[in-house]
Amino acid sequence: MAENSELVLTIGLEVHAELKTATKMFCRSKNDPDAPKPNINICPVCLAHPGTLPTINKKAVEHVLRVGLALGGKLADYTEFDRKNYFYPDIPKGYQISQYQFPLVSGGKLNGVELTRIHLEEDTARNQHSDEKDGESLVDFNRAGVPLMELVTEPVITSAKQAGDFAREFQLLLRYLDVSEANMEKGEMRVEANISIAKPGERGTKVEVKNLNSFRSVERAIEYELVRQKEVLESGEKVVQETRGWDDAKQVTFSQRKKESSHDYRYFPDPDLPKLKLSEIAEFSVENLTKTLPELPTQKRERYARDYGIKSEDIEVFVSDLELDEFFEKLIPELENKDFVVLASNFITNDVLGLLKKDSKLKLPDSGNFAKIVNLFGAKKINSRQAKDQIKLLVEEGKTAEVTVAVDLTEIIEKIITDNAKVVADYKAGKASALQFLVGQGMKASKGSANPEVLQKMLVEKL
Ligand code: MN
């Protein structure tokens, strides 16, 4: 059997994401799969009553096209919906409306990984099984018919980390485009990994792993499969083509079922839905869709590095945290000098985030007050210790910069020295208590907001 080192790991990912729309994919029921009560966002269409007719949710189509455009994919001109036939209680029609031969988007690239396609389909209902032995199973249709986007990559991913990074970047993109919340733990984004190992140039047997509900489990499951499949091959056996689940508690994959080939689904175009010629729909023109695209994560990273010289770890902190980044973007125009942006970035990533981490009740400060502190520091009117103290006050107690920062210690010290010439002379003659008097005057002048140690240090330096 082959040596370990000769075996190559190959991974392709399938990522499903629930789209953010007001209503479901083919009916007017509310799109709220996590509604507190089961079976409230339902209607005859998403319950699959006979004789009902689906209608296409335009917003969902637009979301997928925008994602395709952002990923550099080719948008379809002709597209249609197909029936993917299978029997399961979560899909009482007996088929899922999906896309087969004519997906909305073909090709494209993310994080250097080539994409095969992105298509649009409907989500299924949710089965809830009782924990009791012989207990009943119930079906909740709130999720049935929710618009679901499916992205398929080419089998070109070669490590667990690359797969995890791809999934993280895709989640970020969906959030930037505001097309999905894409929380993996809520099932709004679901990743499946097709994993195989083989000698270079040969084809391995593909194993599909499902139930991956975190980035970590994506990476762990791939690492686990790499070891498992190697052991199978080394023992002289063959890897079985199958679907495996991920047991997060035990950190292992387990066999679920033998994989159906796509032929088993008997795809055919859904006769109840119109074929779409996208070039005939004005709002779906590339020109119009392009106008709706925000700055994308990659573009933001480039801009932060190029315009402000922020270091890449810090850029990542902002780019991956939309709320923090919104604060940062609001702050930038309030800074007096472009060079202060990198100072602000340092204070945020070190000090502000450090404080927020220590106490989860704290919130991001007001950007205007934060800008004042950075501006004073940038103009060298306060030193770094003072800036950090002011930031702490602002974040922890919400004290505004008017109260806490309007203290220019350099000015105060100069004034004290001029006003107290005799005490200064005493200090210079060796009278130690004179210094304490001067510090006291400084505290008074700053209305108690200065740091006495800093004040003393600055006085000594000046004298
Ligand atoms: Mn699917």
Side-chain angles (χ1 to χ4, degrees):
M1 202 59 244
E3 291 291 314
N4 278 358
S5 58
E6 286 178 37
L7 295 169
V8 182
L9 174 65
T10 305
I11 305 152
L13 295 179
E14 288 172 27
V15 188
H16 285 87
E18 286 175 355
L19 298 175
K20 244 199 243 182
T21 53
T23 56
K24 291 188 181 179
M25 186 61 228
F26 298 112
C27 64
R28 309 200 58 152
S29 292
K30 191 179 175 200
N31 174 0
D32 181 11
D34 295 317
K37 278 189 180 171
N39 296 311
I40 55 168
N41 299 318
I42 54 171
C43 75
V45 176
C46 55
L47 285 175
H49 287 193
T52 55
L53 283 176
T55 45
I56 298 169
N57 184 330
K58 246 182 166 178
K59 195 71 191 171
V61 175
E62 187 192 310
H63 281 340
V64 174
L65 293 174
R66 287 173 72 237
V67 172
L69 206 54
L71 293 169
K74 187 176 176 294
L75 307 191
D77 183 23
Y78 174 82
T79 187
E80 63 183 26
F81 287 93
D82 299 88
R83 292 184 177 181
K84 180 180 179 179
N85 298 277
Y86 66 95
F87 287 97
Y88 201 65
D90 66 9
I91 195 105
K93 287 200 294 288
Y95 58 86
Q96 177 190 33
I97 305 177
S98 181
Q99 295 194 285
Y100 189 52
Q101 255 194 300
F102 300 98
L104 282 170
V105 180
S106 307
K109 217 175 195 181
L110 179 68
N111 261 17
V113 173
E114 283 108 10
L115 312 177
T116 313
R117 58 188 275 154
I118 311 173
H119 68 250
L120 184 54
E121 56 191 33
E122 58 179 339
D123 210 344
T124 60
R126 235 187 308 222
N127 295 329
Q128 289 178 351
H129 307 290
S130 162
D131 291 335
E132 287 157 44
K133 193 175 177 285
D134 302 324
E136 54 199 351
S137 286
L138 300 171
V139 188
D140 176 8
F141 282 84
N142 286 339
R143 195 181 72 174
V146 162
L148 197 63
M149 176 178 65
E150 178 174 341
L151 170 145
V152 182
T153 77
E154 289 289 295
V156 292
I157 297 170
T158 56
S159 73
K161 178 166 188 308
Q162 195 189 1
D165 288 346
F166 177 91
R168 272 182 277 266
E169 188 68 11
F170 186 53
Q171 180 191 59
L172 195 59
L173 184 80
L174 296 179
R175 290 178 174 175
Y176 270 60
L177 293 170
D178 200 24
V179 300
S180 174
E181 298 289 347
N183 285 311
M184 285 190 73
E185 57 293 352
K186 285 193 189 167
E188 293 161 343
M189 176 169 145
R190 295 164 233 157
V191 177
E192 293 160 30
N194 292 309
I195 307 161
S196 66
I197 58 171
K199 284 194 247 179
E202 288 184 11
R203 259 172 181 274
T205 304
K206 190 169 86 172
V207 172
E208 182 177 349
V209 180
K210 290 182 184 250
N211 318 346
L212 303 168
N213 54 11
S214 70
F215 296 117
R216 202 171 164 73
S217 46
V218 170
E219 292 168 348
R220 285 290 182 78
I222 291 169
E223 281 158 9
Y224 181 87
E225 274 301 302
L226 174 62
V227 173
R228 187 190 69 86
Q229 293 182 25
K230 266 182 187 169
E231 281 171 6
V232 170
L233 293 180
E234 276 161 9
S235 70
E237 286 171 44
K238 281 186 176 160
V239 173
V240 179
Q241 183 174 335
E242 64 183 339
T243 299
R244 296 178 74 87
W246 171 246
D247 184 328
D248 208 39
K250 293 186 188 147
Q251 299 275 298
V252 297
T253 66
F254 59 93
S255 182
Q256 281 186 319
R257 59 184 153 94
K258 303 278 174 283
K259 177 79 180 153
E260 310 90 341
S261 69
S262 64
H263 176 75
D264 292 336
Y265 290 125
R266 298 181 298 117
Y267 280 99
F268 65 88
D270 192 314
D272 290 342
L273 286 161
K275 322 280 176 206
L276 296 179
K277 184 103 170 112
L278 293 176
S279 55
E280 288 168 1
I281 305 169
E283 62 251 61
F284 292 160
S285 74
V286 170
E287 198 194 353
N288 280 332
L289 290 169
T290 305
K291 280 188 214 149
T292 72
L293 293 186
E295 182 180 46
L296 300 173
T298 39
Q299 296 168 325
K300 191 180 271 286
R301 287 186 186 103
E302 277 168 27
R303 179 167 62 85
Y304 281 175
R306 182 189 61 229
D307 290 1
Y308 308 122
I310 301 170
K311 59 173 185 282
S312 61
E313 307 100 89
D314 289 357
I315 289 177
E316 233 26 67
V317 172
F318 291 115
V319 170
S320 61
D321 183 336
L322 272 68
E323 195 193 347
L324 183 70
D325 191 60
E326 196 184 321
F327 165 76
F328 188 53
E329 290 279 24
K330 204 168 157 225
L331 174 72
I332 290 173
E334 303 186 72
L335 297 171
E336 284 163 6
N337 187 318
K338 204 173 142 185
D339 297 339
F340 295 177
V341 178
V342 69
L343 305 176
S345 158
N346 291 340
F347 282 128
I348 295 167
T349 52
N350 294 318
D351 302 85
V352 176
L353 291 185
L355 292 163
L356 298 186
K357 218 178 201 174
K358 264 195 271 169
D359 184 350
S360 60
K361 287 191 289 295
L362 295 177
K363 289 196 189 77
L364 285 168
D366 170 69
S367 66
N369 285 318
F370 190 79
K372 281 180 194 164
I373 302 174
V374 179
N375 284 332
L376 285 170
F377 175 74
K380 297 200 165 62
K381 287 181 181 166
I382 56 174
N383 63 26
S384 128
R385 182 68 258 152
Q386 291 167 311
K388 284 168 188 287
D389 287 346
Q390 299 299 340
I391 289 168
K392 195 164 183 284
L393 263 177
L394 182 66
V395 175
E396 287 185 343
E397 295 171 38
K399 289 205 176 153
T400 64
E402 269 89 7
V403 181
T404 58
V405 177
V407 185
D408 185 339
L409 288 185
T410 319
E411 263 172 37
I412 288 178
I413 283 166
E414 272 165 19
K415 188 160 184 307
I416 292 169
I417 291 173
T418 333
D419 293 353
N420 299 281
K422 181 162 179 314
V423 187
V424 169
D426 286 350
Y427 171 74
K428 284 186 173 161
K431 194 177 167 190
S433 62
L435 185 61
Q436 285 319 304
F437 177 81
L438 294 174
V439 170
Q441 292 300 303
M443 288 307 289
K444 219 173 171 182
S446 76
K447 299 190 178 79
S449 68
N451 177 338
E453 278 165 39
V454 175
L455 206 57
Q456 174 159 340
K457 192 168 158 267
M458 286 176 79
L459 267 165
V460 170
E461 275 164 18
K462 192 86 190 169
L463 296 169

